[in-house]
Amino acid sequence: MIDKSRTKVIQKGKREKGPVLYWMSREQRADDNWALLYAQEKAMDMKVPLLVCFCMAPSFLGAPYRAYDFMLKGLEETEKSLLAKKIPFLLLEGEPDKNIFILVRRYSVSEIVTDFDPLRIKQQWKRKAGETIKIPIHEVDSHNIVPCWETSSKKEFAARTIRSKIHRLLDRYLVSFPDLLSHPFPLEKDIPGVQWREIQRRLKADRSVSPVPWLVPGSQGGMAILERFITERLERYPLDRNDPGIPGLSDLSPYLHFGQISPQRAALEVSFSGKEEEAKEAFLEEIIVRRELADNFCFYTPFYDSFNSFPGWARNSLNEHRQDRREYIYSFRELEDAETHDELWNAGQMEMLTKGKMHGWMRMYWAKKILEWSTSPEEALERAILLNDRYELDGRDPNGYTGIAWSIGGLHDRAWPSRPLFGKVRYMNNRGAARKFNVKRYIEQVKGRV
Ligand code: FAD
Ligand code: FO1
């Protein structure tokens, strides 16, 4: 039985007799998925079939081929895992709300379960779907260990204010997952398998941003990366995680972003790994507190990608410094092509272009320099989001909008002594980098990969 507080009624509606539909979106996996488990629970209670669909929109926040390739390969594996449990899977191309309407009618779906996502585009899809279909729609938070609405009913100020609200609920929510059962109520009509090669061929996404060769997409690939992190990197995570020259991070973010593995699974495996307490705590702080703080921000701040989402002290301070002289101004093209005077920044940009995943410490430095080299905070915000969502494999994610607002607008951070241009927003420079890690080594490494 899933904890009902993980679920929210989006639309009461009138239940029909047919199958239960899980509209899979953020959580693109068969295992460890509360939304899928809840849909199966409902279908079992009513003794009806269970159907899963994924609606692939014509475009998604500028996502290039690199992102779709990773996502579709993961979905192909998920289709196999669902079929092994006699759960049919459909991939529908086009406007999600229209396709859901057609699907509900064709299979006389009794009710819909979908997974929580604080991004505006997802909330819009669900609202539009609800306008044409009259059956119940339930949403399940299968991304946050503590459901977003249970942690807090408002936008939190910082990690320090949300941490205790999450920690006091972990005993209740950081629990193991029940297995997905083989579904005993088959659908009358047979559903043809997804034509994956056809779908890849029809993709309109920009192919100049090519797939990354160093990660294997999908749930199995994600679990192997989790295993590697626990056995080879977790112990040194507190020491290594701020050195872009050391492979010390988990590399889980693409798998978490596409929901190919569950953050709760990662947190459970790390918690029971038997490794050093300090190392486990350092990682759990990031994957639980920092990540769930990002969902909290986007859920309670629908304009999460605008200057107005910054804290008041930062907006005032940035406004006071709008006219400050800028030593360097770069065009979008110069930034995109890593053609600035700053070798460290260029290395970060190159890493993102070629690897599809810039190191976490570098992302802070990278975004803050874009503030320094743009004509306004609004222009900086727009460029950072554009580059991040075009090249990062884990882009187009609440973590990204939050990380960029932290860097450029002091979100979830405190005010610092005022200085030109940044005002009271935390400043970072390459002298600070040199105090933290071997800058030359990192730059050489990135050059070596190009
Ligand atoms: P690890 O250090 O191994 O962390 C494990 C997991 O913890 C991450 O996958 C993530 O889910 C979570 N986490 C770690 N650091 C943060 C953080 N600062 N905020 C929120 N969650 C965190 N993350 C994205 O997933 N997508 C993005 O587009 C993105 N853009 C960013 C842009 C900027 C300017 C900044 C400062 C941060 C951004 N982050 C983004 C957050 C963070 O940098 C990445 O999540 C992390 O580097 C991913 O690599 P990893 O999984 O190997 O990290
Ligand atoms: N989710 C969908 O439900 N349908 C899509 O067509 C879709 C495309 C897509 C492309 C790139 C990308 O990075 C994410 C995409 N997502 C899509 C959303 C993704 O599954 C995540 O749910 C969110 O981006 C995370 O909040």
Side-chain angles (χ1 to χ4, degrees), residues 237 249-251 253 286-287 291 357 363 388 394 399-400:
Y237 184 72
L249 303 184
S250 67
D251 285 339
S253 59
E286 299 303 322
I287 198 166
R291 193 181 46 76
K357 185 175 179 285
R363 297 196 201 199
N388 188 85
D394 59 21
N399 290 345

Side-chain angles (χ1 to χ4, degrees), residues 211-248:
V212 294
W214 61 283
L215 281 178
V216 174
S219 298
Q220 284 174 28
M223 288 308 284
I225 287 286
L226 174 59
E227 190 50 38
R228 179 191 70 176
F229 173 63
I230 291 173
T231 43
E232 297 172 23
R233 301 182 179 182
L234 175 56
E235 292 271 83
R236 290 189 51 83
Y237 184 72
L239 302 170
D240 294 348
R241 71 190 184 94
N242 285 324
D243 183 341
I246 298 178

Side-chain angles (χ1 to χ4, degrees), residues 25-26 28 54-57 60 63 117 122 125 257 396:
S25 177
R26 193 179 196 189
Q28 298 168 17
F54 180 83
C55 295
M56 191 159 87
F60 189 84
D117 189 330
K122 300 292 195 70
W125 287 353
H257 166 69
R396 304 154 302 277

Side-chain angles (χ1 to χ4, degrees), residues 75-211:
L75 284 168
E76 189 169 354
E77 184 187 307
T78 296
E79 177 194 39
K80 287 194 186 72
S81 310
L82 290 168
L83 290 179
K85 298 277 171 104
K86 301 189 177 50
I87 299 169
F89 174 83
L90 285 146
L91 187 138
L92 308 172
E93 295 166 270
E95 289 308 327
D97 57 294
K98 290 192 181 54
N99 280 329
I100 286 288
F101 174 73
I102 294 166
L103 191 69
V104 163
R105 252 198 350 199
R106 182 181 312 150
Y107 291 94
S108 348
V109 168
S110 57
E111 58 182 301
I112 295 175
V113 175
T114 185
D115 44 49
F116 167 69
D117 189 330
L119 294 189
R120 273 194 313 270
I121 184 168
K122 300 292 195 70
Q123 309 264 324
Q124 282 154 9
W125 287 353
K126 291 170 194 173
R127 209 180 7 264
K128 278 176 81 178
E131 284 159 11
T132 54
I133 47 179
K134 298 303 161 217
I135 56 175
I137 305 177
H138 295 251
E139 187 177 64
V140 181
D141 188 346
S142 188
H143 204 75
N144 297 298
I145 292 163
V146 180
C148 196
W149 45 79
E150 292 298 320
T151 298
S152 171
S153 55
K154 65 177 178 55
K155 171 179 164 181
E156 289 295 327
F157 273 104
R160 67 179 157 68
T161 65
I162 202 173
R163 187 175 297 114
S164 55
K165 296 180 179 178
I166 291 175
H167 281 180
R168 72 162 171 248
L169 290 168
L170 282 181
D171 284 350
R172 174 175 176 183
Y173 289 106
L174 184 52
V175 295
S176 52
F177 289 94
D179 288 335
L180 180 69
L181 305 172
S182 185
H183 203 69
F185 308 107
L187 210 60
E188 277 95 56
K189 304 173 197 164
D190 244 357
I191 289 203
V194 176
Q195 300 301 313
W196 295 100
R197 300 295 73 75
E198 277 304 295
I199 286 173
Q200 285 259 358
R201 215 178 38 73
R202 279 199 292 270
L203 266 181
K204 296 217 174 10
D206 178 354
R207 290 173 191 258
S208 69
V209 186
S210 44

Side-chain angles (χ1 to χ4, degrees), residues 229 237 241 248-254 256-257 283 285-292 294 357-368 384 388-389 392-407:
F229 173 63
Y237 184 72
R241 71 190 184 94
L249 303 184
S250 67
D251 285 339
L252 285 173
S253 59
L256 297 171
H257 166 69
F283 181 75
E285 168 69 10
E286 299 303 322
I287 198 166
I288 301 179
V289 177
R290 279 278 159 205
R291 193 181 46 76
E292 305 204 355
K357 185 175 179 285
M358 192 190 306
H359 186 278
W361 190 91
M362 281 304 299
R363 297 196 201 199
M364 300 185 280
Y365 180 80
W366 172 84
K368 285 180 178 291
N388 188 85
D389 286 1
E392 294 282 19
L393 200 45
D394 59 21
R396 304 154 302 277
D397 190 282
N399 290 345
Y401 304 113
T402 305
I404 290 169
W406 179 91
S407 305

Side-chain angles (χ1 to χ4, degrees), residues 313-331:
W313 63 264
R315 290 202 307 276
N316 298 337
S317 184
L318 288 167
N319 283 334
E320 278 159 31
H321 289 269
R322 276 183 191 279
Q323 306 315 326
D324 290 6
R325 201 181 72 76
R326 283 150 171 73
E327 200 182 340
Y328 294 94
I329 291 274
Y330 288 110
S331 68

